[in-house]
Amino acid sequence: MEKVLFKIAKQWIAGDTMEDALKSARQANINGMGAILNKLGEHMTSKAQVSQTVSDYLTLVSNLRRSKISGGLSVKPTQVGLSINTKECLENLDKIIEKALQSQSFVWIDMESSEHTDVTFKIYLNLFEKYERLGVVIQSNLKRTQDDLKMLLEKCAKIRLVKGAYHETPKNAYRTRHEVDENYKKLMLTLFEQGNEFAIATHDSKLIDLAINLSKKHEKKFEFQMLKGIRDEIKPILVKSGFLVSEYIPYGTNWLPYSIRRLRERKRNILLLGSSFIHSHRV
């Protein structure tokens, strides 16, 4: 099973090393897109592991600058100390964002499962007071998100809207694809009406079309974000149409939990991945 998954995963993961990630980021730039790099791994409870991850992100920012790559980072709180304590996570994110600021690289704070939602928002808003080029992720599968979005917009937060990939309880989350999609539409409409500097992170054609239509009515600074290796046929069309597009590029050896979540998020992802794979290998 792991071997089969790896064959699938290697299309949406840059590779094991930082150089693999930088290579994918360069290619994204060549194709007219930005790059958002994420080192795989989460729920780190060892200070040594956390310290190494922070060091890797600092090196990654330096390499982006040195290579003149247009790109930023996406960091999970539990990979930089949240599983140890909030203070550790806050201090480590502060170091990473400070370094990223020197090269004007944008940093996204990734959202994880709902048990971390409140503290992630607290950390984000604390850091956002200091750093302007900082965004946070919200998930349309969570029932609480409409209220969270209202709170974040009052703070002028910069937001990435995703469907959500973590296993949640029926109490916390919508269970059907229809419910998740309908909530995504409502949240997107709120972003276009009240937000600015946000990201529509989806591979769903209907939601992409809705975002395009909303962009005609509301002049907002926003971008589409998609995973490396998925919907490669639509990305150049969006770029050519004048939309900002960024690829989310994960790298590292901890690919298995990430890949399982990607498949769980929407079984349709496997069809989209297959479609992208066939498209990229056509003669």
Side-chain angles (χ1 to χ4, degrees), residues 2 4 26 28 63 68 71-72 78 95 101 112 118 128 149 151 169 171 173 195 204 211 224 252 260 268 273:
E2 197 166 316
V4 170
R26 282 189 204 99
N63 284 335
K68 296 181 180 176
T78 66
K95 284 181 202 169
L101 190 70
E112 300 175 80
D118 285 324
F128 189 54
L149 178 56
M151 177 272 295
T169 66
K171 183 183 175 183
D204 188 319
F224 288 106
I260 289 169
R268 198 167 130 71
L273 187 66

Side-chain angles (χ1 to χ4, degrees), residues 191-205:
L191 280 170
F192 273 98
E193 289 178 341
Q194 301 173 31
N196 200 30
E197 286 201 69
F198 54 89
I200 301 301
T202 183
H203 308 109
D204 188 319
S205 291

Side-chain angles (χ1 to χ4, degrees), residues 67-81:
S67 305
K68 296 181 180 176
I69 290 170
S70 174
L73 308 178
S74 200
V75 184
K76 287 182 171 58
T78 66
Q79 67 179 170
V80 292

Side-chain angles (χ1 to χ4, degrees), residues 53-224:
T53 300
V54 172
S55 176
D56 287 345
Y57 274 123
L58 295 175
T59 303
L60 182 56
V61 170
S62 295
N63 284 335
L64 285 172
R65 187 178 186 179
R66 190 178 304 117
S67 305
K68 296 181 180 176
I69 290 170
S70 174
L73 308 178
S74 200
V75 184
K76 287 182 171 58
T78 66
Q79 67 179 170
V80 292
L82 188 59
S83 296
I84 298 171
N85 59 62
T86 305
K87 184 172 178 284
E88 179 91 7
C89 179
L90 193 58
E91 288 175 356
N92 286 329
L93 278 169
D94 191 74
K95 284 181 202 169
I96 293 166
I97 299 160
E98 179 69 42
K99 180 83 172 176
L101 190 70
Q102 294 169 18
S103 58
Q104 288 295 297
S105 290
F106 197 94
V107 177
W108 290 97
I109 297 180
D110 259 334
M111 188 57 71
E112 300 175 80
S113 56
S114 58
E115 66 194 278
H116 304 298
T117 304
D118 285 324
V119 69
T120 300
F121 286 146
K122 185 178 176 184
I123 288 167
Y124 169 73
L125 292 171
N126 183 309
L127 292 165
F128 189 54
E129 287 181 7
K130 186 177 176 183
Y131 301 107
E132 187 186 349
R133 293 181 62 74
L134 183 66
V136 70
V137 178
I138 60 170
Q139 302 172 103
S140 74
N141 68 329
L142 295 182
K143 294 177 179 177
R144 59 174 288 170
T145 302
Q146 190 74 53
D147 290 335
D148 291 333
L149 178 56
K150 183 182 175 186
M151 177 272 295
L152 290 167
L153 289 175
E154 285 171 0
K155 307 285 186 182
C156 299
K158 293 167 185 177
I159 294 161
R160 177 203 293 157
L161 174 60
V162 304
K163 288 188 180 180
Y166 289 86
H167 184 68
E168 301 287 353
T169 66
K171 183 183 175 183
N172 295 334
Y174 297 111
R175 304 305 286 174
T176 70
R177 178 181 168 186
H178 176 74
E179 288 174 316
V180 174
D181 287 357
E182 286 304 303
N183 199 39
Y184 196 105
K185 289 175 188 175
K186 287 178 193 171
L187 296 166
M188 192 199 302
L189 180 60
T190 302
L191 280 170
F192 273 98
E193 289 178 341
Q194 301 173 31
N196 200 30
E197 286 201 69
F198 54 89
I200 301 301
T202 183
H203 308 109
D204 188 319
S205 291
K206 288 180 182 176
L207 295 176
I208 291 167
D209 288 344
L210 178 59
I212 291 169
N213 289 330
L214 287 169
S215 73
K216 292 171 185 173
K217 300 175 189 174
H218 307 274
E219 283 194 28
K220 300 289 175 145
K221 185 179 179 183
F222 82 102
E223 70 175 22
F224 288 106

